[in-house]
Amino acid sequence: MSAVPQRFGRRVRSRRAAHRPAGQTPCGSTLGREVYQVHLTKSEQQIMEIFWKADHAMAQTEVVSTCVERKWKERSIFSMLNSLMEKGVLREVGFVRSGKTYARTFEPAMSHAEYLAAVVAEQLPAKQLPELLAALMQKMETTPAIQKEMRAALRENTQ
């Protein structure tokens, strides 16, 4: 038997990789933190939008009933929820009674802003970050209060 750790039936090369959510690979470093690639399909993004808008953990049946513009089969939702958990954007938080059985409940493992930051971080070199912030400020209406929060966030993350 090999001394290489096992995770979910797959061989993992290093201890550090064993603690990384499945489906994610390191793609660089930003201010000393690893950045992971997170690729979501269109359907996975739609499901995550439902979770990000919800204010509570949700079971699979509630996700299906919430999404009125799309009719997914239960097996498809099951597969996508498991895929989202493997990618590290969704986590199981408990169980709820569903008929005669119990159903798992889920909540986002990262906020919508954290997800978008991960997507941008994998595409944009760190040296272009000031240009990105300037472009965002031009595209979006920012109040003095939002600008104050942004300055505080920048100070907090540079210390």
Side-chain angles (χ1 to χ4, degrees):
M1 197 77 188
S2 153
V4 177
Q6 294 279 332
R7 180 176 172 150
F8 303 112
R10 295 184 207 156
R11 290 187 81 166
V12 179
R13 290 205 167 109
S14 71
R15 224 171 180 8
R16 176 175 231 151
H19 298 291
R20 182 181 310 129
Q24 296 181 345
T25 57
C27 64
S29 178
T30 305
L31 301 174
R33 289 172 272 171
E34 278 189 294
V35 178
Y36 294 103
Q37 293 178 345
V38 181
H39 298 285
L40 299 183
T41 66
K42 185 177 178 180
S43 294
E44 288 173 339
Q45 287 177 355
Q46 289 174 333
I47 288 174
M48 285 309 298
E49 288 292 335
I50 292 167
F51 280 105
W52 285 319
K53 289 177 184 173
D55 59 350
H56 61 285
M58 295 175 29
Q60 175 180 335
T61 54
E62 190 176 356
V63 173
V64 172
S65 64
T66 303
C67 189
V68 292
E69 72 270 1
R70 189 81 197 256
K71 296 294 180 207
W72 283 302
K73 294 180 181 174
E74 281 198 32
R75 187 69 196 154
S76 298
I77 292 286
F78 178 80
S79 296
M80 284 188 280
L81 292 175
N82 285 330
S83 173
L84 289 165
M85 285 195 312
E86 283 181 15
K87 292 177 180 182
V89 294
L90 192 67
R91 69 175 159 239
E92 182 182 302
V93 291
F95 295 91
V96 66
R97 186 87 172 163
S98 178
K100 294 182 180 182
T101 62
Y102 288 91
R104 298 181 297 171
T105 56
F106 306 92
E107 70 180 12
M110 63 175 61
S111 70
H112 195 186
E114 290 170 329
Y115 166 72
L116 292 174
V119 170
V120 169
E122 77 182 56
Q123 298 290 322
L124 188 72
K127 65 182 179 184
Q128 290 182 336
L129 187 58
E131 186 180 340
L132 172 69
L133 290 176
L136 280 172
M137 299 275 295
Q138 288 176 353
K139 295 277 184 194
M140 303 178 83
E141 208 173 291
T142 57
T143 64
I146 291 173
Q147 292 173 4
K148 183 178 178 181
E149 285 183 48
M150 290 173 69
R151 281 192 295 275
L154 283 170
R155 276 193 300 275
E156 181 181 303
N157 286 312
T158 57
Q159 294 176 353

